[in-house]
Amino acid sequence: MKKILLKLSGEALAGDKKTGLDEGTVMEVSRQVKAIAEDGIQVSIVIGGGNFWRGRSSGAIDRCKADQIGMMATVMNCIYVSEIFRHSGLQTEVFTPFVCGAFTRLFSKDEADRCLSQGKVVFFAGGTGHPYFSTDTTAALRAVEMEADMILLAKAVDGVYDSDPKDNPGAEKYDEIHIQDVIDKQLAVMDLTASIMCMENKMPMLVFGLNGKDSIIQTVRGEFCGTKVLV
């Protein structure tokens, strides 16, 4: 494994507060990412925006505008996490699919590849730049574009279950599952668009809980206890 895309849940980065950002949690993520970067792994990151905004359920806001607010939430997350990473000694770059003044760089695969080859951690903020596409889809799209070896999906839940473990205490976790079964059973791994993109482009995933001790490091080194999503 030489190049990965790490998808971080915005809610997971909020820690116990469930909203906003928890500095201790982000510092722990930066420590782990620094460790795998020092092993020579090229790391790119997509972060969800659910710790700031989940406006799709609001009937008072147009869906396109709600999604635009969500895109800006992911930009805030990436700028914050990028700065924590820099404080930890990492070099970073934040790309967006739309112009954000001097805050970010406009996405280009060539520029992102150049940054990765220089040892920088690259953040893909702002989603795809279009409404109706989630950050799950952004993660799948960027992983395919950047020719990542794998997506690491760090969630608040420690893997893929046959039903929601929050609602069903008897839910069973899969050690391995094929992406076609994820799609057929409509399991809550990624949204359907992202899952189909991963299937069509043979992009495997490792799904694990962010809050487990050294979970990112262990996942990269093959010692994780989450779920392998096969393609």
Side-chain angles (χ1 to χ4, degrees), residues 10-26 51-52 80:
E11 295 97 318
L13 293 180
D16 294 335
K17 297 185 299 183
K18 307 299 183 184
T19 187
L21 288 155
D22 180 70
E23 186 170 300
T25 300
V26 179
N51 54 323
F52 284 118
Y80 177 88

Side-chain angles (χ1 to χ4, degrees), residues 59-203:
I61 300 176
D62 176 79
R63 170 64 186 271
C64 292
K65 296 302 180 185
D67 283 0
Q68 288 169 0
I69 296 170
M71 291 176 213
M72 297 312 297
T74 71
V75 174
M76 290 193 296
N77 279 343
C78 285
I79 291 174
Y80 177 88
V81 176
S82 168
E83 285 306 303
I84 295 292
F85 278 26
R86 291 187 185 190
H87 176 78
S88 301
L90 288 161
Q91 291 184 298
T92 66
E93 202 72 62
V94 180
F95 288 92
T96 49
F98 44 77
V99 175
C100 275
F103 299 146
T104 66
R105 296 179 64 180
L106 192 61
F107 172 72
S108 155
K109 177 183 176 180
D110 290 342
E111 285 301 315
D113 253 335
R114 189 171 295 112
C115 290
L116 288 170
S117 67
Q118 293 169 350
K120 294 181 179 181
V121 176
V122 171
F123 290 82
F124 298 122
T128 65
H130 300 282
Y132 295 92
F133 293 98
S134 69
T135 51
D136 283 348
T137 300
T138 304
L141 174 63
R142 297 293 184 235
V144 171
E145 282 182 306
M146 302 308 299
E147 301 175 72
D149 297 314
M150 189 169 290
I151 295 172
L152 272 58
L153 195 56
K155 300 168 72 80
V157 182
D158 64 348
V160 180
Y161 287 77
D162 61 358
S163 58
D164 191 338
K166 294 179 183 177
D167 300 329
N168 177 18
E172 295 187 7
K173 187 171 77 172
Y174 296 98
D175 292 327
E176 291 185 352
I177 187 168
H178 196 278
I179 189 66
Q180 185 65 64
D181 292 325
V182 169
I183 294 168
D184 292 343
K185 297 177 181 180
Q186 297 186 26
L187 299 175
V189 181
M190 284 181 145
D191 64 42
L192 186 60
T193 302
S195 295
I196 291 173
M197 182 172 290
C198 287
M199 180 185 69
E200 290 179 340
N201 293 279
K202 307 296 183 185
M203 179 59 64

Side-chain angles (χ1 to χ4, degrees), residues 26-62:
V26 179
M27 287 290 290
E28 173 60 18
V29 171
S30 73
R31 180 188 68 81
Q32 294 188 61
V33 171
K34 185 176 182 181
I36 63 175
E38 288 173 347
D39 286 344
I41 306 293
Q42 294 184 359
V43 183
S44 54
I45 296 177
V46 171
I47 306 176
N51 54 323
F52 284 118
W53 179 253
R54 284 202 173 279
R56 290 183 179 178
S57 61
S58 171
I61 300 176
D62 176 79

